[in-house]
């Protein structure tokens, strides 16, 4: 299936000059959604994964479906103040400003084999921070899985230490 | 399986006097997560559902896994400003203040059979607003599915026109 044809491009969102990749048209399409999740599950099934980690909010959507399909647990990474138990946090720089991610400290144990799933690989800022957060708790980041890759932003170059799989490239 | 035993209770979060139901311990447990999603899929499988709708952010997590398990599409409901294409919105009152939900206008067509999936049935404010939003676009809300129900808050009484299924009751 041509998954790219199921993704809607919306010009000048959220700001002028950006061509936003809208995955809601892909998730609404039952066959495209099934195939997207199945392709990620297939890529992970021989990697002895313990947990899928997904960043809020679109990483919840794809990550939880992958966890269910793979038969493993799902662990959320959230914006500050959302997780109720003690957290580890990681602050990282964006092009303008900064962002902080949190994970429950007791969510990851030493040696846990983890795959991170998110919708979009752009500059890789979020996923690189998420990987460091998992590793700081003793987890092993075995794979990074994305629906979309924006190749010209060079995110993959920042992730050379990891197995990276993306389904649709722009 | 005793799903309730997989949910962690955290006192005084997010404010004093509240016993927060933490579903991250359930989603991390592979068997509890599988069973939760399977129970919802089983309840929906004879209802001829076209789409699962899930509200941001925990509704993405459970809703997308249910959509994948049921073999249907997933449609997100989001906070204002997050969806890139033209939206329909609905403002509703909270105990203190108000909230607004948005859905893509073209996500729902007349006659679409929809189930809403979310983590928690409390006062039912969010799900009632989500149902009205779907109905305003011509969709038919066939079922409302939740992991947790806080019975003393009486949310179910506000949802008498709907099929309501909850997995764990407090």
């Amino acid at each position: 299936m041509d998954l790219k044809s199921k993704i809607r491009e919306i010009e000048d969102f959220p700001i002028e000059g950006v061509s936003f990749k809208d995955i809601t048209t892909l998730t609404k399409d039952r066959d495209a959604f099934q195939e997207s999740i199945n392709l990620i599950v297939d890529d992970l099934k021989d990697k002895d994964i313990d947990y899928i980690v997904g960043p809020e909010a679109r990483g919840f959507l794809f990550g939880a479906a992958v966890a269910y399909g793979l038969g493993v647990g799902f662990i959320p990474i959230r914006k500050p103040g959302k997780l109720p138990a003690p957290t580890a946090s990681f602050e990282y720089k964006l092009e303008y400003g900064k962002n902080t991610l949190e994970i429950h400290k007791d969510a990851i144990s030493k040696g846990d084999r983890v795959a991170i799933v998110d919708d979009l690989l752009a500059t890789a800022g979020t996923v690189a921070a998420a990987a460091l957060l998992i590793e700081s708790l003793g987890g092993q980041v075995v794979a990074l899985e994305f629906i979309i890759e924006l190749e010209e932003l060079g995110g993959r170059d920042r992730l050379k230490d990891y197995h990276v799989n993306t389904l649709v490239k722009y």
Side-chain angles (χ1 to χ4, degrees), chain A residues 11 30-31 39 43 47 56 59 63 69 74 118 127 154 158 161:
Chain A
E11 301 306 320
R30 63 201 300 165
D31 297 322
L39 285 169
D43 190 61
K47 293 187 170 63
E56 180 174 5
F74 177 81
D118 206 352
V127 71
R158 289 183 63 184
D161 295 340

Side-chain angles (χ1 to χ4, degrees), chain A residues 40-52:
Chain A
I40 296 176
V41 168
D42 284 350
D43 190 61
L44 293 176
K45 68 177 189 292
D46 297 325
K47 293 187 170 63
D48 196 18
I49 302 294
D50 296 308
Y51 301 108
I52 300 295

